[in-house]
Amino acid sequence: MKGISWEKRDEHTKRKHNILSEYLKAWIRITASYFPKIFIADGFAGRGEYVNGEPGSPKIIISAACTEIGTKKCEVECFFIEIDNELFNVMEKVVNQNNTQKQKIIANFLKGNFEDKIYEVFDSMTSKEVPCFFFIDPSGFKDIDLEIMKKIGNFKRPEILLNLQTAGILRNLPQQKLKSKIIKVFGETLPVGAKEKDVLKKYEEIIKNKCGFKKVQHYSVSFDYVSTNMYYLIHATNNNTGFKIMK
């Protein structure tokens, strides 16, 4: 995840991470009580933690798993994808240092592009019955692929928490050279004059109608110093309980 400052978290990143942490703890607590195994995948893992010690998503995920798995008879298998070599090495160390339940929690580290490595994750998830949670948090919108979302939707008990950068999408709509990128995300083009609410509504419809998710909702995350939305966290699930917890 290049182009990100790893000195400390921005305020909007803290808000995003708080949503991830609180929901993931509840999801693990519930699913681990009913299933012998669950999967968690972080598609854009980054450094694992910031230079000042604040947690990145891998540290949040492994800490939540260690806290919530407790004495439950459940195995958690995690997948962390990162393309940058330096960030990958730090992230792997951070996760291993914070995994205090190594007998129950398996951490897999995949170095490479999300769009390639996610298919290795799918191949490792040998049972489509197992609950699976995907955190997809790219630094832009161009790495979001509708075909990948469809593959996730094919699992029986999938959950997605995805960063949809509506501000970046709207900014780039007039650029003809990025038309193919928009189609990759939405499966179709969007009108140049589209508004934020149009983009959001269209993507939620696509996640439901083309990817098979029954419940989809969103949370706005604004820029730190102005009240304009920077991006939305899209939560997709087939589970009524998960939908109510996130709501």
Side-chain angles (χ1 to χ4, degrees):
M1 295 180 69
K2 296 181 179 180
I4 295 176
S5 172
W6 290 100
E7 292 300 315
K8 64 178 183 178
R9 291 188 297 180
D10 298 319
E11 290 302 316
H12 68 82
T13 302
K14 290 180 183 179
R15 294 193 291 273
K16 173 178 62 182
H17 283 168
N18 285 340
I19 292 173
L20 169 66
S21 178
E22 292 307 308
Y23 182 75
L24 190 58
K25 285 188 286 188
W27 182 83
I28 295 170
R29 189 182 313 131
I30 294 170
T31 55
S33 299
Y34 293 97
F35 295 91
K37 184 163 187 170
I38 58 177
F39 292 118
I40 303 172
D42 186 349
F44 298 85
R47 194 178 184 273
E49 73 175 7
Y50 290 76
V51 174
N52 67 354
E54 289 182 295
S57 55
K59 190 174 181 178
I60 290 170
I61 289 169
I62 204 70
S63 298
C66 290
T67 298
E68 298 301 334
I69 202 67
T71 59
K72 295 180 175 66
K73 296 179 180 179
C74 177
E75 180 181 84
V76 183
E77 186 164 6
C78 301
F79 302 87
F80 300 98
I81 301 172
E82 174 54 45
I83 191 170
D84 182 88
N85 188 63
E86 183 178 348
L87 299 180
F88 180 93
N89 292 336
V90 177
M91 178 268 293
E92 185 176 15
K93 183 178 180 180
V94 167
V95 170
N96 285 329
Q97 287 178 338
N98 286 274
N99 186 359
T100 59
Q101 295 258 27
K102 289 185 172 67
Q103 290 184 333
K104 291 184 176 181
I105 302 173
I106 302 168
N108 301 288
F109 305 96
L110 297 88
K111 187 189 298 182
N113 189 288
F114 167 71
E115 293 178 80
D116 297 326
K117 294 299 177 179
I118 193 64
Y119 286 94
E120 293 182 25
V121 174
F122 294 151
D123 290 341
S124 298
M125 296 178 173
T126 52
S127 172
K128 291 189 177 295
E129 301 293 318
V130 176
C132 48
F133 179 94
F134 295 83
F135 182 53
I136 303 173
D137 185 25
S139 57
F141 70 90
K142 300 168 191 175
D143 291 315
I144 300 175
D145 190 332
L146 179 58
E147 295 307 311
I148 292 173
M149 302 303 127
K150 289 178 180 178
K151 288 282 290 186
I152 295 174
N154 285 336
F155 288 90
K156 187 173 182 179
R157 297 177 176 88
E159 301 258 347
I160 293 177
L161 186 62
L162 177 143
N163 177 345
L164 183 69
Q165 299 203 4
T166 48
I169 291 170
L170 290 171
R171 187 171 59 250
N172 285 282
L173 274 182
Q175 299 190 39
Q176 187 66 24
K177 64 181 180 180
L178 292 178
K179 182 178 179 180
S180 62
K181 302 294 185 182
I182 299 293
I183 294 174
K184 186 175 77 169
V185 177
F186 292 89
E188 58 188 78
T189 57
L190 298 177
V192 173
K195 304 296 184 183
E196 181 183 74
K197 62 182 178 65
D198 302 322
V199 172
L200 191 60
K201 181 181 179 181
K202 172 59 70 174
Y203 195 74
E204 290 185 338
E205 288 175 351
I206 286 168
I207 291 295
K208 281 185 176 181
N209 299 332
K210 294 188 178 182
C211 302
F213 284 92
K214 297 176 182 177
K215 304 283 185 179
V216 182
Q217 55 192 322
H218 64 264
Y219 299 86
S220 62
V221 180
S222 61
F223 288 94
D224 290 342
Y225 303 109
V226 294
S227 59
T228 303
N229 291 328
M230 183 177 186
Y231 54 81
Y232 285 85
L233 289 178
I234 307 293
H235 175 240
T237 181
N238 293 326
N239 186 276
N240 287 328
T241 300
F243 184 77
K244 291 176 182 177
I245 291 172
M246 183 62 88
K247 194 169 185 178

